[in-house]
Amino acid sequence: MNLRVKFRPLLWPTIFTILSLFTLLSLGSWQVYRLIWKNNLISNYLKKFNNEVIYYNNNLNFNNELEYRRINVTGKFLNEKEILVIGKTFEGNAGFHLLTPLITKSKKVILINRGWISEKYKLSNSRKFTIIKNDILVNGIIRKPQSKGYFVPENDPIGNFWFTIKPREIQKALKLDNYDFEKNFYISSIRNSKKLILPIGVSGTPNFRNQHLSYAITWYSLSVVLIIIYLTYHFKENRLIIKRKKI
């Protein structure tokens, strides 16, 4: 079929469409990049997590390859030095993350994120079940100190408001300068049973949000819709004419 196309684009709708199309395609491409990055992150996590368990000793030198590795450490909790990280939820319920320093037999102190507790257990005298005085074996995951998010407030050690897990700040606030305190990482406790027991530790399975593919499809789809609207508008205004060629 031989067709003749006559197209006379309008200036401002064309400029608007080009700019909008560029923006939509850029957003879609950014989500594809994030999708690749997130998939690599999950793959890296699983590779490290499924590696053999590390048994803590004073000779352990932290590096980035150790993050997300499973680790076992034995010691006693310094219960009087616990802190609560604000703004944590579990299945939609508000609460805190309970952080307690643990001292090993070799007198090394490591910060343990023991997991989530609900708001009604904010005060330590309301949850005697978390005050463990005997030696305990912690099975957890090695984590790097957290970085503050854009919309997350700064930690307030004086007011005892904590939003981000930063071992160096916590050591200073808890006045543990005289201890051999581990500043390069902390440990997130893994829950060891299917039954949920407070504090609720991490499950060990990756829980990274990965909706970048759906976001990318959305942005690219909007690009297609924009082109259709642009062409339809010009067709109705007789600025886009498609006719068969006469033979």
Side-chain angles (χ1 to χ4, degrees), residues 31-44:
Q31 291 301 330
V32 170
Y33 168 79
R34 294 287 293 176
L35 174 65
I36 296 171
W37 172 82
K38 187 62 68 67
N39 285 339
N40 289 337
L41 180 65
I42 293 172
S43 176
N44 183 48

Side-chain angles (χ1 to χ4, degrees), residues 120-218:
K120 74 174 184 176
Y121 293 118
K122 179 179 180 179
L123 300 178
S124 59
N125 57 15
S126 68
R127 47 176 169 81
K128 294 182 179 180
F129 55 87
T130 67
I131 309 301
I132 301 173
K133 297 181 179 180
N134 299 326
D135 283 354
I136 186 170
L137 171 65
V138 174
N139 176 28
I141 302 173
I142 298 174
R143 298 301 310 272
K144 290 194 298 186
Q146 295 178 343
S147 299
K148 188 184 81 67
Y150 288 112
F151 303 106
V152 177
E154 294 283 355
N155 289 332
D156 179 11
I158 296 176
N160 199 27
F161 294 108
W162 297 93
F163 304 92
T164 309
I165 302 176
K166 296 182 177 181
R168 290 179 185 272
E169 286 187 15
I170 293 171
Q171 178 195 18
K172 184 176 180 180
L174 297 180
K175 299 179 179 179
L176 294 172
D177 296 320
N178 294 329
Y179 287 85
D180 185 9
F181 194 94
E182 179 57 65
K183 304 178 183 69
N184 297 313
F185 69 89
Y186 67 95
I187 296 175
S188 286
S189 180
I190 299 174
R191 56 179 183 258
N192 296 315
S193 64
K194 293 182 179 179
K195 183 179 179 181
L196 296 180
I197 302 173
L198 296 176
I200 300 174
V202 296
S203 65
T205 56
N207 190 27
F208 304 107
R209 289 191 64 191
N210 193 9
Q211 296 179 310
H212 299 294
L213 178 60
S214 62
Y215 293 154
I217 292 173
T218 298

Side-chain angles (χ1 to χ4, degrees), residues 8-70:
R8 295 178 296 128
L10 293 168
L11 177 60
W12 290 112
T14 300
I15 292 175
F16 172 80
T17 300
I18 290 174
L19 293 176
S20 300
L21 190 61
F22 175 79
T23 301
L24 292 171
L25 291 175
S26 297
L27 290 170
S29 299
W30 169 247
Q31 291 301 330
V32 170
Y33 168 79
R34 294 287 293 176
L35 174 65
I36 296 171
W37 172 82
K38 187 62 68 67
N39 285 339
N40 289 337
L41 180 65
I42 293 172
S43 176
N44 183 48
Y45 172 89
L46 290 173
K47 179 181 177 181
K48 292 180 178 179
F49 181 82
N50 292 324
N51 212 327
E52 61 180 325
V53 177
I54 297 171
Y55 293 90
Y56 181 82
N57 62 69
N58 285 0
N59 296 322
L60 178 67
N61 293 316
F62 176 78
N63 58 64
N64 288 335
E65 290 302 312
L66 291 179
E67 187 176 23
Y68 303 127
R69 289 284 300 273
R70 288 175 296 158

Side-chain angles (χ1 to χ4, degrees), residues 56-59 73-76 102-110 179-180:
Y56 181 82
N57 62 69
N58 285 0
N59 296 322
V73 58
T74 301
K76 287 186 177 182
L102 179 136
I103 185 167
T104 67
K105 290 183 179 179
S106 59
K107 304 304 179 183
K108 184 79 172 183
V109 175
I110 307 167
Y179 287 85
D180 185 9

